[in-house]
Amino acid sequence: VTRMGMAQVIRVALIKRGTSITELAEKLGCTSQNISSKLRRDNFSEKELQEIAAAIGCHFEGKFIVDESGETL
């Protein structure tokens, strides 16, 4: 079984939550170029993952879990 990298999980979560990279960057107070670069490198700290999850209405436990439905992404 192939495990998705966090960048891929974030991209899936953004699509499922209807949030663009630009919108995510605005919520995090950074540039979309910064987010895109981090996604290309697939390099995120746990703190950044928690911040990203919160910005798109999820919480992070080593995975994204949608707050309303409990769906694991």
Side-chain angles (χ1 to χ4, degrees):
V1 177
T2 309
R3 186 167 179 260
M4 279 196 278
M6 287 313 301
Q8 190 174 357
V9 173
I10 291 167
R11 289 181 192 281
V12 169
L14 289 172
I15 291 166
K16 288 185 178 255
R17 302 301 287 159
T19 303
S20 69
I21 289 174
T22 302
E23 291 168 327
L24 175 61
E26 288 172 3
K27 290 177 180 181
L28 296 176
C30 63
T31 65
S32 56
Q33 291 87 350
N34 178 273
I35 297 293
S36 294
S37 176
K38 288 187 99 30
L39 287 167
R40 275 193 306 279
R41 291 190 319 266
D42 198 4
N43 182 24
F44 299 92
S45 69
E46 185 172 346
K47 181 179 183 232
E48 289 170 324
L49 293 170
Q50 290 172 345
E51 291 170 350
I52 290 167
I56 60 174
C58 298
H59 62 274
F60 179 73
E61 296 179 353
K63 58 191 168 215
F64 284 94
I65 303 167
V66 178
D67 289 337
E68 295 87 3
S69 67
E71 176 187 7
T72 300
L73 307 176

Short mmCIF file of all heavy atoms in Angstrom, two decimals:
data_model
loop_
_atom_site.label_atom_id
_atom_site.label_comp_id
_atom_site.label_asym_id
_atom_site.label_seq_id
_atom_site.Cartn_x
_atom_site.Cartn_y
_atom_site.Cartn_z
N VAL A 1 0.86 -1.18 0.00
CA VAL A 1 0.00 0.00 0.00
C VAL A 1 0.89 1.24 0.00
O VAL A 1 1.77 1.36 0.84
CB VAL A 1 -0.93 0.02 1.24
CG1 VAL A 1 -1.76 1.28 1.27
CG2 VAL A 1 -1.81 -1.20 1.24
N THR A 2 0.63 2.14 -0.92
CA THR A 2 1.40 3.37 -1.01
C THR A 2 0.78 4.41 -0.10
O THR A 2 -0.42 4.62 -0.12
CB THR A 2 1.40 3.90 -2.46
OG1 THR A 2 1.78 2.85 -3.33
CG2 THR A 2 2.36 5.05 -2.61
N ARG A 3 1.63 5.05 0.69
CA ARG A 3 1.16 6.10 1.61
C ARG A 3 1.28 7.44 0.92
O ARG A 3 2.30 7.74 0.31
CB ARG A 3 2.00 6.07 2.88
CG ARG A 3 1.50 7.02 3.92
CD ARG A 3 2.16 6.74 5.26
NE ARG A 3 1.67 7.69 6.22
CZ ARG A 3 2.34 8.78 6.59
NH1 ARG A 3 3.52 9.04 6.09
NH2 ARG A 3 1.83 9.61 7.45
N MET A 4 0.23 8.24 1.01
CA MET A 4 0.26 9.58 0.44
C MET A 4 1.19 10.46 1.27
O MET A 4 1.20 10.37 2.50
CB MET A 4 -1.13 10.23 0.49
CG MET A 4 -2.06 9.83 -0.60
SD MET A 4 -3.45 10.97 -0.72
CE MET A 4 -4.53 10.35 0.54
N GLY A 5 1.97 11.29 0.59
CA GLY A 5 2.74 12.30 1.29
C GLY A 5 1.79 13.36 1.84
O GLY A 5 0.64 13.48 1.40
N MET A 6 2.27 14.13 2.80
CA MET A 6 1.41 15.15 3.41
C MET A 6 0.97 16.19 2.38
O MET A 6 -0.15 16.69 2.46
CB MET A 6 2.11 15.82 4.58
CG MET A 6 2.21 14.93 5.81
SD MET A 6 0.68 14.07 6.29
CE MET A 6 -0.44 15.40 6.57
N ALA A 7 1.82 16.51 1.41
CA ALA A 7 1.43 17.49 0.39
C ALA A 7 0.21 16.99 -0.37
O ALA A 7 -0.73 17.75 -0.63
CB ALA A 7 2.59 17.76 -0.57
N GLN A 8 0.19 15.71 -0.70
CA GLN A 8 -0.95 15.14 -1.41
C GLN A 8 -2.19 15.14 -0.52
O GLN A 8 -3.29 15.45 -0.98
CB GLN A 8 -0.61 13.73 -1.89
CG GLN A 8 -1.65 13.17 -2.85
CD GLN A 8 -1.24 11.83 -3.42
OE1 GLN A 8 -0.15 11.33 -3.17
NE2 GLN A 8 -2.12 11.24 -4.21
N VAL A 9 -2.02 14.81 0.75
CA VAL A 9 -3.15 14.84 1.69
C VAL A 9 -3.70 16.26 1.78
O VAL A 9 -4.93 16.47 1.77
CB VAL A 9 -2.73 14.32 3.08
CG1 VAL A 9 -3.84 14.51 4.10
CG2 VAL A 9 -2.33 12.85 3.00
N ILE A 10 -2.82 17.25 1.86
CA ILE A 10 -3.26 18.66 1.94
C ILE A 10 -4.02 19.04 0.67
O ILE A 10 -5.09 19.66 0.73
CB ILE A 10 -2.07 19.60 2.18
CG1 ILE A 10 -1.52 19.38 3.59
CG2 ILE A 10 -2.47 21.07 1.98
CD1 ILE A 10 -0.16 20.01 3.84
N ARG A 11 -3.51 18.64 -0.49
CA ARG A 11 -4.20 18.97 -1.75
C ARG A 11 -5.61 18.35 -1.78
O ARG A 11 -6.57 19.00 -2.18
CB ARG A 11 -3.39 18.50 -2.95
CG ARG A 11 -2.13 19.32 -3.18
CD ARG A 11 -1.37 18.82 -4.40
NE ARG A 11 -0.04 19.37 -4.50
CZ ARG A 11 0.24 20.58 -4.96
NH1 ARG A 11 -0.72 21.38 -5.34
NH2 ARG A 11 1.49 21.00 -5.02
N VAL A 12 -5.73 17.09 -1.36
CA VAL A 12 -7.04 16.43 -1.31
C VAL A 12 -7.96 17.16 -0.33
O VAL A 12 -9.13 17.41 -0.62
CB VAL A 12 -6.89 14.93 -0.93
CG1 VAL A 12 -8.23 14.30 -0.60
CG2 VAL A 12 -6.18 14.17 -2.04
N ALA A 13 -7.42 17.51 0.84
CA ALA A 13 -8.21 18.22 1.85
C ALA A 13 -8.69 19.57 1.32
O ALA A 13 -9.85 19.94 1.53
CB ALA A 13 -7.40 18.40 3.13
N LEU A 14 -7.82 20.29 0.61
CA LEU A 14 -8.22 21.58 0.03
C LEU A 14 -9.37 21.40 -0.94
O LEU A 14 -10.34 22.17 -0.92
CB LEU A 14 -7.02 22.25 -0.66
CG LEU A 14 -5.93 22.80 0.25
CD1 LEU A 14 -4.73 23.25 -0.57
CD2 LEU A 14 -6.44 23.93 1.11
N ILE A 15 -9.29 20.39 -1.79
CA ILE A 15 -10.36 20.13 -2.77
C ILE A 15 -11.66 19.79 -2.04
O ILE A 15 -12.71 20.36 -2.33
CB ILE A 15 -9.95 19.00 -3.73
CG1 ILE A 15 -8.82 19.48 -4.65
CG2 ILE A 15 -11.15 18.52 -4.55
CD1 ILE A 15 -8.11 18.38 -5.41
N LYS A 16 -11.57 18.87 -1.08
CA LYS A 16 -12.78 18.45 -0.36
C LYS A 16 -13.40 19.60 0.43
O LYS A 16 -14.61 19.63 0.62
CB LYS A 16 -12.47 17.28 0.58
CG LYS A 16 -12.24 15.99 -0.17
CD LYS A 16 -12.06 14.83 0.80
CE LYS A 16 -11.89 13.53 0.06
NZ LYS A 16 -13.07 12.69 0.09
N ARG A 17 -12.57 20.53 0.90
CA ARG A 17 -13.07 21.66 1.67
C ARG A 17 -13.39 22.87 0.80
O ARG A 17 -13.85 23.89 1.30
CB ARG A 17 -12.05 22.05 2.76
CG ARG A 17 -11.71 20.92 3.71
CD ARG A 17 -12.92 20.38 4.45
NE ARG A 17 -13.34 21.34 5.45
CZ ARG A 17 -14.55 21.39 5.98
NH1 ARG A 17 -15.47 20.54 5.61
NH2 ARG A 17 -14.84 22.30 6.87
N GLY A 18 -13.14 22.76 -0.52
CA GLY A 18 -13.46 23.86 -1.42
C GLY A 18 -12.60 25.09 -1.17
O GLY A 18 -13.06 26.22 -1.31
N THR A 19 -11.34 24.87 -0.80
CA THR A 19 -10.43 25.96 -0.48
C THR A 19 -9.26 25.95 -1.46
O THR A 19 -8.69 24.90 -1.72
CB THR A 19 -9.88 25.80 0.96
OG1 THR A 19 -10.98 25.73 1.87
CG2 THR A 19 -8.98 26.96 1.35
N SER A 20 -8.93 27.11 -1.99
CA SER A 20 -7.80 27.22 -2.91
C SER A 20 -6.51 27.45 -2.12
O SER A 20 -6.54 27.82 -0.93
CB SER A 20 -8.01 28.38 -3.87
OG SER A 20 -7.92 29.62 -3.18
N ILE A 21 -5.39 27.28 -2.80
CA ILE A 21 -4.09 27.57 -2.18
C ILE A 21 -4.03 29.04 -1.80
O ILE A 21 -3.53 29.40 -0.74
CB ILE A 21 -2.94 27.16 -3.11
CG1 ILE A 21 -2.87 25.63 -3.18
CG2 ILE A 21 -1.61 27.74 -2.64
CD1 ILE A 21 -1.87 25.09 -4.18
N THR A 22 -4.58 29.90 -2.66
CA THR A 22 -4.60 31.35 -2.37
C THR A 22 -5.39 31.64 -1.10
O THR A 22 -4.95 32.40 -0.24
CB THR A 22 -5.19 32.12 -3.57
OG1 THR A 22 -4.40 31.83 -4.72
CG2 THR A 22 -5.23 33.61 -3.30
N GLU A 23 -6.57 31.01 -0.97
CA GLU A 23 -7.39 31.22 0.23
C GLU A 23 -6.68 30.69 1.48
O GLU A 23 -6.70 31.34 2.53
CB GLU A 23 -8.74 30.51 0.08
CG GLU A 23 -9.63 31.15 -0.96
CD GLU A 23 -10.84 30.28 -1.31
OE1 GLU A 23 -10.72 29.04 -1.30
OE2 GLU A 23 -11.89 30.87 -1.62
N LEU A 24 -6.03 29.54 1.34
CA LEU A 24 -5.29 28.98 2.47
C LEU A 24 -4.17 29.93 2.89
O LEU A 24 -4.01 30.22 4.07
CB LEU A 24 -4.71 27.61 2.11
CG LEU A 24 -3.81 26.97 3.16
CD1 LEU A 24 -4.57 26.73 4.47
CD2 LEU A 24 -3.22 25.67 2.62
N ALA A 25 -3.43 30.44 1.92
CA ALA A 25 -2.34 31.36 2.22
C ALA A 25 -2.85 32.60 2.95
O ALA A 25 -2.24 33.05 3.92
CB ALA A 25 -1.62 31.76 0.93
N GLU A 26 -3.99 33.13 2.50
CA GLU A 26 -4.57 34.31 3.16
C GLU A 26 -4.91 34.00 4.61
O GLU A 26 -4.64 34.79 5.51
CB GLU A 26 -5.81 34.78 2.41
CG GLU A 26 -5.51 35.43 1.07
CD GLU A 26 -6.77 35.72 0.25
OE1 GLU A 26 -7.90 35.48 0.73
OE2 GLU A 26 -6.61 36.19 -0.89
N LYS A 27 -5.51 32.83 4.84
CA LYS A 27 -5.89 32.45 6.20
C LYS A 27 -4.66 32.25 7.10
O LYS A 27 -4.73 32.48 8.30
CB LYS A 27 -6.72 31.16 6.18
CG LYS A 27 -8.10 31.35 5.61
CD LYS A 27 -8.86 30.04 5.54
CE LYS A 27 -10.23 30.26 4.95
NZ LYS A 27 -11.01 29.01 4.89
N LEU A 28 -3.54 31.83 6.50
CA LEU A 28 -2.32 31.59 7.27
C LEU A 28 -1.42 32.81 7.33
O LEU A 28 -0.39 32.79 8.02
CB LEU A 28 -1.54 30.41 6.66
CG LEU A 28 -2.24 29.05 6.70
CD1 LEU A 28 -1.41 28.01 5.97
CD2 LEU A 28 -2.52 28.63 8.13
N GLY A 29 -1.77 33.86 6.59
CA GLY A 29 -0.97 35.08 6.62
C GLY A 29 0.35 34.96 5.88
O GLY A 29 1.35 35.56 6.28
N CYS A 30 0.36 34.16 4.81
CA CYS A 30 1.57 34.04 4.00
C CYS A 30 1.17 34.12 2.52
O CYS A 30 0.01 34.36 2.20
CB CYS A 30 2.32 32.74 4.31
SG CYS A 30 1.41 31.24 3.93
N THR A 31 2.12 33.91 1.64
CA THR A 31 1.82 34.00 0.21
C THR A 31 1.47 32.63 -0.36
O THR A 31 1.88 31.59 0.17
CB THR A 31 3.04 34.55 -0.57
OG1 THR A 31 4.10 33.59 -0.47
CG2 THR A 31 3.49 35.90 -0.02
N SER A 32 0.72 32.65 -1.45
CA SER A 32 0.40 31.39 -2.13
C SER A 32 1.68 30.76 -2.69
O SER A 32 1.78 29.53 -2.75
CB SER A 32 -0.64 31.60 -3.22
OG SER A 32 -0.22 32.56 -4.15
N GLN A 33 2.66 31.58 -3.06
CA GLN A 33 3.94 31.05 -3.53
C GLN A 33 4.63 30.24 -2.43
O GLN A 33 5.22 29.19 -2.69
CB GLN A 33 4.88 32.18 -4.01
CG GLN A 33 4.41 32.86 -5.27
CD GLN A 33 3.43 34.01 -5.03
OE1 GLN A 33 2.94 34.21 -3.91
NE2 GLN A 33 3.12 34.76 -6.07
N ASN A 34 4.54 30.74 -1.18
CA ASN A 34 5.13 30.04 -0.05
C ASN A 34 4.46 28.67 0.14
O ASN A 34 5.15 27.66 0.32
CB ASN A 34 5.00 30.89 1.22
CG ASN A 34 5.55 30.21 2.44
OD1 ASN A 34 4.84 29.46 3.10
ND2 ASN A 34 6.81 30.45 2.73
N ILE A 35 3.13 28.65 0.09
CA ILE A 35 2.39 27.38 0.26
C ILE A 35 2.74 26.43 -0.89
O ILE A 35 3.02 25.25 -0.67
CB ILE A 35 0.87 27.63 0.31
CG1 ILE A 35 0.50 28.48 1.52
CG2 ILE A 35 0.10 26.30 0.32
CD1 ILE A 35 0.71 27.84 2.86
N SER A 36 2.72 26.94 -2.12
CA SER A 36 3.02 26.11 -3.28
C SER A 36 4.42 25.51 -3.19
O SER A 36 4.62 24.33 -3.50
CB SER A 36 2.88 26.92 -4.57
OG SER A 36 1.54 27.29 -4.77
N SER A 37 5.36 26.30 -2.74
CA SER A 37 6.74 25.83 -2.59
C SER A 37 6.82 24.72 -1.56
O SER A 37 7.47 23.70 -1.77
CB SER A 37 7.64 27.00 -2.20
OG SER A 37 8.94 26.56 -1.97
N LYS A 38 6.14 24.91 -0.43
CA LYS A 38 6.15 23.88 0.62
C LYS A 38 5.47 22.60 0.13
O LYS A 38 5.91 21.50 0.44
CB LYS A 38 5.48 24.40 1.88
CG LYS A 38 6.33 25.44 2.60
CD LYS A 38 5.75 25.84 3.92
CE LYS A 38 6.33 25.19 5.11
NZ LYS A 38 7.68 24.78 5.18
N LEU A 39 4.39 22.76 -0.68
CA LEU A 39 3.72 21.58 -1.23
C LEU A 39 4.64 20.84 -2.19
O LEU A 39 4.67 19.61 -2.19
CB LEU A 39 2.42 21.99 -1.93
CG LEU A 39 1.27 22.40 -1.01
CD1 LEU A 39 0.16 23.07 -1.80
CD2 LEU A 39 0.74 21.20 -0.24
N ARG A 40 5.40 21.57 -3.01
CA ARG A 40 6.34 20.92 -3.93
C ARG A 40 7.41 20.14 -3.17
O ARG A 40 7.78 19.04 -3.56
CB ARG A 40 7.02 21.95 -4.84
CG ARG A 40 6.22 22.31 -6.07
CD ARG A 40 7.05 23.08 -7.08
NE ARG A 40 7.69 24.28 -6.53
CZ ARG A 40 7.08 25.45 -6.36
NH1 ARG A 40 5.81 25.59 -6.68
NH2 ARG A 40 7.73 26.48 -5.87
N ARG A 41 7.91 20.72 -2.09
CA ARG A 41 8.95 20.07 -1.30
C ARG A 41 8.38 19.01 -0.35
O ARG A 41 9.12 18.18 0.17
CB ARG A 41 9.73 21.11 -0.48
CG ARG A 41 10.59 22.03 -1.32
CD ARG A 41 11.53 22.88 -0.47
NE ARG A 41 10.95 23.42 0.73
CZ ARG A 41 10.39 24.64 0.84
NH1 ARG A 41 10.35 25.44 -0.19
NH2 ARG A 41 9.90 25.05 1.98
N ASP A 42 7.06 19.07 -0.11
CA ASP A 42 6.38 18.18 0.84
C ASP A 42 7.10 18.24 2.19
O ASP A 42 7.49 17.23 2.77
CB ASP A 42 6.33 16.75 0.32
CG ASP A 42 5.27 15.91 1.04
OD1 ASP A 42 4.54 16.45 1.89
OD2 ASP A 42 5.19 14.70 0.76
N ASN A 43 7.26 19.47 2.68
CA ASN A 43 8.05 19.72 3.89
C ASN A 43 7.24 20.58 4.85
O ASN A 43 7.18 21.79 4.70
CB ASN A 43 9.36 20.41 3.49
CG ASN A 43 10.25 20.65 4.67
OD1 ASN A 43 10.16 19.98 5.68
ND2 ASN A 43 11.11 21.65 4.55
N PHE A 44 6.62 19.94 5.84
CA PHE A 44 5.78 20.65 6.80
C PHE A 44 6.11 20.19 8.20
O PHE A 44 6.28 19.00 8.46
CB PHE A 44 4.29 20.37 6.53
CG PHE A 44 3.82 20.81 5.19
CD1 PHE A 44 3.85 19.94 4.12
CD2 PHE A 44 3.36 22.10 4.99
CE1 PHE A 44 3.43 20.35 2.87
CE2 PHE A 44 2.94 22.52 3.74
CZ PHE A 44 2.97 21.65 2.68
N SER A 45 6.14 21.15 9.13
CA SER A 45 6.27 20.80 10.54
C SER A 45 4.88 20.40 11.05
O SER A 45 3.86 20.71 10.43
CB SER A 45 6.79 21.99 11.35
OG SER A 45 5.81 23.02 11.40
N GLU A 46 4.85 19.73 12.19
CA GLU A 46 3.55 19.36 12.77
C GLU A 46 2.75 20.62 13.09
O GLU A 46 1.53 20.65 12.89
CB GLU A 46 3.74 18.52 14.02
CG GLU A 46 2.41 18.03 14.57
CD GLU A 46 2.54 17.03 15.70
OE1 GLU A 46 3.63 16.49 15.92
OE2 GLU A 46 1.52 16.80 16.36
N LYS A 47 3.42 21.65 13.57
CA LYS A 47 2.73 22.92 13.87
C LYS A 47 2.08 23.48 12.61
O LYS A 47 0.92 23.94 12.64
CB LYS A 47 3.71 23.92 14.47
CG LYS A 47 3.07 25.25 14.82
CD LYS A 47 4.08 26.21 15.43
CE LYS A 47 3.36 27.49 15.82
NZ LYS A 47 3.97 28.68 15.31
N GLU A 48 2.80 23.47 11.49
CA GLU A 48 2.24 23.97 10.23
C GLU A 48 1.05 23.12 9.80
O GLU A 48 0.04 23.66 9.33
CB GLU A 48 3.30 23.96 9.13
CG GLU A 48 4.37 25.01 9.31
CD GLU A 48 5.53 24.83 8.36
OE1 GLU A 48 5.92 23.67 8.06
OE2 GLU A 48 6.06 25.86 7.92
N LEU A 49 1.15 21.81 9.97
CA LEU A 49 0.04 20.93 9.60
C LEU A 49 -1.19 21.22 10.46
O LEU A 49 -2.31 21.24 9.96
CB LEU A 49 0.46 19.47 9.71
CG LEU A 49 1.52 19.03 8.70
CD1 LEU A 49 2.05 17.65 9.05
CD2 LEU A 49 0.98 19.06 7.28
N GLN A 50 -0.97 21.48 11.75
CA GLN A 50 -2.09 21.83 12.63
C GLN A 50 -2.72 23.16 12.20
O GLN A 50 -3.94 23.30 12.19
CB GLN A 50 -1.63 21.89 14.08
CG GLN A 50 -1.29 20.53 14.64
CD GLN A 50 -0.63 20.58 16.00
OE1 GLN A 50 -0.16 21.61 16.45
NE2 GLN A 50 -0.58 19.43 16.66
N GLU A 51 -1.89 24.12 11.83
CA GLU A 51 -2.40 25.43 11.38
C GLU A 51 -3.17 25.30 10.07
O GLU A 51 -4.23 25.91 9.89
CB GLU A 51 -1.25 26.42 11.22
CG GLU A 51 -0.63 26.83 12.55
CD GLU A 51 0.66 27.62 12.41
OE1 GLU A 51 1.21 27.71 11.29
OE2 GLU A 51 1.13 28.14 13.44
N ILE A 52 -2.65 24.51 9.14
CA ILE A 52 -3.33 24.29 7.86
C ILE A 52 -4.67 23.62 8.10
O ILE A 52 -5.70 24.04 7.56
CB ILE A 52 -2.45 23.46 6.91
CG1 ILE A 52 -1.25 24.29 6.45
CG2 ILE A 52 -3.26 22.95 5.71
CD1 ILE A 52 -0.16 23.48 5.76
N ALA A 53 -4.67 22.57 8.92
CA ALA A 53 -5.91 21.86 9.22
C ALA A 53 -6.95 22.80 9.81
O ALA A 53 -8.11 22.82 9.37
CB ALA A 53 -5.64 20.69 10.16
N ALA A 54 -6.56 23.60 10.79
CA ALA A 54 -7.49 24.53 11.43
C ALA A 54 -8.03 25.55 10.42
O ALA A 54 -9.21 25.90 10.45
CB ALA A 54 -6.81 25.25 12.59
N ALA A 55 -7.18 26.00 9.50
CA ALA A 55 -7.58 27.01 8.52
C ALA A 55 -8.63 26.47 7.54
O ALA A 55 -9.39 27.25 6.97
CB ALA A 55 -6.36 27.51 7.75
N ILE A 56 -8.68 25.15 7.36
CA ILE A 56 -9.65 24.58 6.42
C ILE A 56 -10.75 23.78 7.11
O ILE A 56 -11.45 23.00 6.49
CB ILE A 56 -8.96 23.74 5.32
CG1 ILE A 56 -8.19 22.56 5.92
CG2 ILE A 56 -8.05 24.61 4.46
CD1 ILE A 56 -7.61 21.61 4.87
N GLY A 57 -10.90 24.01 8.42
CA GLY A 57 -12.00 23.38 9.15
C GLY A 57 -11.79 21.91 9.45
O GLY A 57 -12.73 21.13 9.45
N CYS A 58 -10.55 21.54 9.70
CA CYS A 58 -10.20 20.17 10.08
C CYS A 58 -9.35 20.25 11.34
O CYS A 58 -9.04 21.33 11.81
CB CYS A 58 -9.38 19.49 8.98
SG CYS A 58 -10.19 19.30 7.39
N HIS A 59 -9.00 19.11 11.90
CA HIS A 59 -7.97 19.08 12.92
C HIS A 59 -6.98 18.00 12.52
O HIS A 59 -7.29 17.11 11.74
CB HIS A 59 -8.52 18.91 14.34
CG HIS A 59 -9.25 17.64 14.59
ND1 HIS A 59 -10.59 17.49 14.32
CD2 HIS A 59 -8.85 16.44 15.08
CE1 HIS A 59 -10.99 16.28 14.63
NE2 HIS A 59 -9.94 15.62 15.10
N PHE A 60 -5.77 18.10 13.03
CA PHE A 60 -4.69 17.23 12.61
C PHE A 60 -4.28 16.29 13.73
O PHE A 60 -4.02 16.73 14.85
CB PHE A 60 -3.48 18.08 12.17
CG PHE A 60 -2.30 17.25 11.75
CD1 PHE A 60 -2.32 16.58 10.54
CD2 PHE A 60 -1.19 17.12 12.57
CE1 PHE A 60 -1.24 15.80 10.15
CE2 PHE A 60 -0.11 16.35 12.19
CZ PHE A 60 -0.14 15.69 10.98
N GLU A 61 -4.27 15.00 13.43
CA GLU A 61 -3.80 13.98 14.36
C GLU A 61 -2.90 13.02 13.59
O GLU A 61 -3.05 11.82 13.68
CB GLU A 61 -4.99 13.19 14.92
CG GLU A 61 -5.94 13.98 15.77
CD GLU A 61 -7.10 13.15 16.28
OE1 GLU A 61 -7.24 11.97 15.88
OE2 GLU A 61 -7.87 13.67 17.08
N GLY A 62 -2.01 13.58 12.81
CA GLY A 62 -1.22 12.74 11.92
C GLY A 62 -2.00 12.46 10.65
O GLY A 62 -1.54 11.77 9.75
N LYS A 63 -3.21 12.97 10.60
CA LYS A 63 -4.09 12.87 9.44
C LYS A 63 -5.11 14.00 9.57
O LYS A 63 -5.25 14.60 10.64
CB LYS A 63 -4.78 11.53 9.40
CG LYS A 63 -5.59 11.24 10.65
CD LYS A 63 -6.06 9.82 10.71
CE LYS A 63 -6.60 9.52 12.10
NZ LYS A 63 -6.35 8.20 12.54
N PHE A 64 -5.79 14.29 8.51
CA PHE A 64 -6.85 15.30 8.56
C PHE A 64 -8.17 14.61 8.80
O PHE A 64 -8.48 13.60 8.18
CB PHE A 64 -6.92 16.08 7.23
CG PHE A 64 -5.82 17.08 7.07
CD1 PHE A 64 -4.65 16.75 6.40
CD2 PHE A 64 -5.94 18.37 7.59
CE1 PHE A 64 -3.63 17.67 6.26
CE2 PHE A 64 -4.92 19.29 7.46
CZ PHE A 64 -3.77 18.94 6.78
N ILE A 65 -8.96 15.18 9.72
CA ILE A 65 -10.28 14.67 10.04
C ILE A 65 -11.26 15.84 9.91
O ILE A 65 -11.10 16.86 10.57
CB ILE A 65 -10.32 14.09 11.47
CG1 ILE A 65 -9.27 12.99 11.60
CG2 ILE A 65 -11.71 13.59 11.81
CD1 ILE A 65 -8.99 12.55 13.02
N VAL A 66 -12.25 15.71 9.03
CA VAL A 66 -13.21 16.78 8.80
C VAL A 66 -14.06 16.96 10.06
O VAL A 66 -14.62 15.99 10.59
CB VAL A 66 -14.11 16.47 7.58
CG1 VAL A 66 -15.14 17.58 7.39
CG2 VAL A 66 -13.26 16.28 6.33
N ASP A 67 -14.11 18.19 10.57
CA ASP A 67 -14.82 18.47 11.83
C ASP A 67 -16.29 18.06 11.77
O ASP A 67 -16.78 17.41 12.69
CB ASP A 67 -14.72 19.96 12.20
CG ASP A 67 -13.30 20.35 12.63
OD1 ASP A 67 -12.55 19.47 13.08
OD2 ASP A 67 -12.99 21.53 12.54
N GLU A 68 -17.01 18.45 10.72
CA GLU A 68 -18.45 18.19 10.67
C GLU A 68 -18.79 16.71 10.55
O GLU A 68 -19.72 16.24 11.17
CB GLU A 68 -19.12 18.95 9.52
CG GLU A 68 -19.08 20.45 9.64
CD GLU A 68 -17.80 21.07 9.07
OE1 GLU A 68 -16.96 20.33 8.52
OE2 GLU A 68 -17.65 22.28 9.20
N SER A 69 -18.05 15.98 9.70
CA SER A 69 -18.43 14.60 9.40
C SER A 69 -17.57 13.55 10.09
O SER A 69 -17.97 12.38 10.15
CB SER A 69 -18.36 14.37 7.89
OG SER A 69 -17.02 14.45 7.44
N GLY A 70 -16.40 13.96 10.57
CA GLY A 70 -15.49 12.98 11.15
C GLY A 70 -14.74 12.16 10.11
O GLY A 70 -13.99 11.26 10.45
N GLU A 71 -14.92 12.51 8.83
CA GLU A 71 -14.26 11.77 7.73
C GLU A 71 -12.75 11.98 7.82
O GLU A 71 -12.26 13.08 7.98
CB GLU A 71 -14.76 12.29 6.39
CG GLU A 71 -14.07 11.66 5.20
CD GLU A 71 -14.44 12.30 3.87
OE1 GLU A 71 -15.15 13.33 3.86
OE2 GLU A 71 -14.01 11.76 2.85
N THR A 72 -12.01 10.87 7.72
CA THR A 72 -10.55 10.94 7.68
C THR A 72 -10.11 11.10 6.24
O THR A 72 -10.56 10.36 5.36
CB THR A 72 -9.93 9.66 8.27
OG1 THR A 72 -10.38 9.53 9.62
CG2 THR A 72 -8.41 9.72 8.24
N LEU A 73 -9.25 12.08 6.01
CA LEU A 73 -8.75 12.35 4.66
C LEU A 73 -7.34 11.81 4.51
O LEU A 73 -6.59 11.75 5.43
CB LEU A 73 -8.77 13.85 4.37
CG LEU A 73 -10.11 14.55 4.61
CD1 LEU A 73 -9.94 16.04 4.39
CD2 LEU A 73 -11.17 13.99 3.68
#
